[in-house]
Amino acid sequence: MLDKRFQTLIVVSETLSFTATARKLFITQPAVSQQIYSLEDELNLKLVDSTNHKISLTNEGKKLAAYCKQVEIEGGRIIDILQQTDNSNPFKMGCTLSLSSILLPKFIHHLAGKSKVLTTKINNTEHILQDIRDGKVDFGLIEGNFNKDEFDSIFIQNENFICVANPHLRISKYIIEELFSQNIFVREPGSGSREIFEHWLGTQNHQISDFQHIVEIASPNVIIQLLKQSPGISFIYESLVKTELENGQLKKLDLKGLSIEHPIHLVFSKNSYFTDTYQQLVSSVLHQ
């Protein structure tokens, strides 16, 4: 396990307060200060700045705290694995809502027989990435963008991102401007598909606020049901609505300028000890 000074640095990076860190670690504030200053002296690095009684980490401090947190998380996981008497590998995985019906079943089917304990968390991209940082999940299946300096990833597949509508919707021109008067069902801020849509709108010199009737919904399945029952449009992965498109419950709108094939990744902490495990997992799932 890490020296207690490194553990203190991790908490300081989370609280940005020596007082709050002391309360969280059940030690005195002077003890927190002494540990941080001792660490700075030993490493010959400035880790923490204090200005007007406000604490901030230097770039070196942020990098070291992030590294220490990863060591703590992965060290704990290795111990958990070693303590398993049946040689099983416990997994905690995250998955975005959009991918929960596309990819998650494949991974669960593969891991169910190899892991005594399999935990899944379904949320938007922003939350899944934070769960990886906090060690609440080991890896995440996401379609949104992520910081490649902070996370490593393994490519899984590409997904077509399309505009879909209620089959009774009629428009004169297949351009985005024709849709501004329609009901648009979109995911909440922080979701990968919302980010993809907003980025594409930006390339067309538009933004979501250009639509007159905006409904934010956290579930892609609810969006699909609403589209089938009432006039409106949405932007979604084609594989999510494959059945509805085939049976005519929804229709695809081939909008001018909309041609998006977005990569899906398995994302995990940078330089993870378990990189080979994740690579083998993806290879096995894709070839099962």
Side-chain angles (χ1 to χ4, degrees):
M1 301 300 288
L2 289 173
D3 183 309
K4 64 181 181 181
R5 295 174 301 172
F6 291 101
Q7 295 172 333
T8 299
L9 177 64
I10 293 173
V11 180
V12 168
S13 73
E14 296 170 343
T15 65
L16 296 180
S17 165
F18 283 173
T19 301
T21 297
R23 286 198 298 265
K24 194 168 184 178
L25 295 178
F26 301 101
I27 58 178
T28 65
Q29 182 175 330
V32 172
S33 303
Q34 182 180 10
Q35 289 180 23
I36 296 300
Y37 298 148
S38 170
L39 194 57
E40 290 181 326
D41 288 341
E42 181 175 320
L43 300 177
N44 193 28
L45 288 172
K46 182 68 174 175
L47 303 175
V48 176
D49 281 325
S50 178
T51 305
N52 297 326
H53 303 292
K54 291 185 178 181
I55 299 297
S56 63
L57 266 66
T58 64
N59 288 333
E60 292 79 10
K62 292 176 182 177
K63 291 178 181 178
L64 182 59
Y67 173 76
C68 290
K69 189 170 184 178
Q70 181 178 346
V71 170
E72 281 278 275
I73 291 170
E74 296 206 332
R77 186 180 171 200
I78 290 172
I79 291 174
D80 287 343
I81 292 173
L82 293 175
Q83 289 176 337
Q84 297 295 321
T85 57
D86 55 1
N87 295 319
S88 65
N89 190 348
F91 277 104
K92 295 178 294 181
M93 63 181 294
C95 182
T96 62
L97 284 160
S98 294
L99 301 181
S100 61
S101 59
I102 300 173
L103 281 175
L104 185 58
K106 294 180 182 180
F107 278 81
I108 291 177
H109 176 73
H110 179 78
L111 291 172
K114 300 180 180 298
S115 176
K116 184 176 181 179
V117 180
L118 174 61
T119 304
T120 61
K121 295 190 69 175
I122 299 175
N123 215 317
N124 63 33
T125 296
E126 185 178 290
H127 284 93
I128 293 300
L129 291 176
Q130 188 59 50
D131 284 343
I132 296 174
R133 294 187 188 97
D134 295 339
K136 294 179 181 179
V137 299
D138 304 319
F139 62 87
L141 304 175
I142 70 169
E143 77 276 13
N145 295 321
F146 55 91
N147 185 350
K148 293 179 174 58
D149 291 330
E150 183 180 6
F151 299 99
D152 280 333
S153 65
I154 302 170
F155 171 78
I156 299 177
Q157 64 190 44
N158 283 314
E159 282 287 334
N160 288 325
F161 193 71
I162 64 171
C163 179
V164 293
N166 181 281
H168 301 296
L169 181 70
R170 297 291 180 264
I171 58 175
S172 59
K173 296 180 181 179
Y174 282 79
I175 57 175
I176 187 63
E177 291 81 3
E178 283 287 307
L179 302 178
F180 288 159
S181 62
Q182 303 296 328
N183 294 324
I184 180 169
F185 304 113
V186 294
R187 291 288 307 283
E188 78 287 359
S191 73
S193 55
R194 169 73 171 252
E195 184 180 27
I196 296 166
F197 177 47
E198 288 183 325
H199 180 267
W200 177 76
L201 273 180
T203 66
Q204 307 299 305
N205 296 315
H206 292 297
Q207 52 191 0
I208 287 183
S209 59
D210 291 333
F211 289 88
Q212 297 178 24
H213 309 286
I214 304 166
V215 183
E216 293 185 350
I217 301 171
S219 168
N221 288 329
V222 173
I223 289 176
I224 293 170
Q225 293 305 314
L226 284 171
L227 283 174
K228 290 193 296 184
Q229 297 170 18
S230 60
I233 64 166
S234 188
F235 290 76
I236 200 167
Y237 287 115
E238 187 169 10
S239 57
L240 282 175
V241 291
K242 180 181 178 181
T243 300
E244 287 79 6
L245 291 174
E246 290 176 346
N247 62 27
Q249 291 179 296
L250 294 177
K251 68 177 179 179
K252 177 181 177 182
L253 301 182
D254 294 317
L255 296 183
K256 180 181 178 180
L258 180 62
S259 179
I260 302 175
E261 189 177 62
H262 199 76
I264 308 301
H265 291 94
L266 183 147
V267 178
F268 50 95
S269 297
K270 194 76 172 179
N271 301 316
S272 172
Y273 173 84
F274 298 97
T275 297
D276 289 345
T277 300
Y278 301 144
Q279 289 175 334
Q280 293 171 11
L281 171 61
V282 171
S283 178
S284 298
V285 169
L286 294 182
H287 294 93
Q288 66 182 5

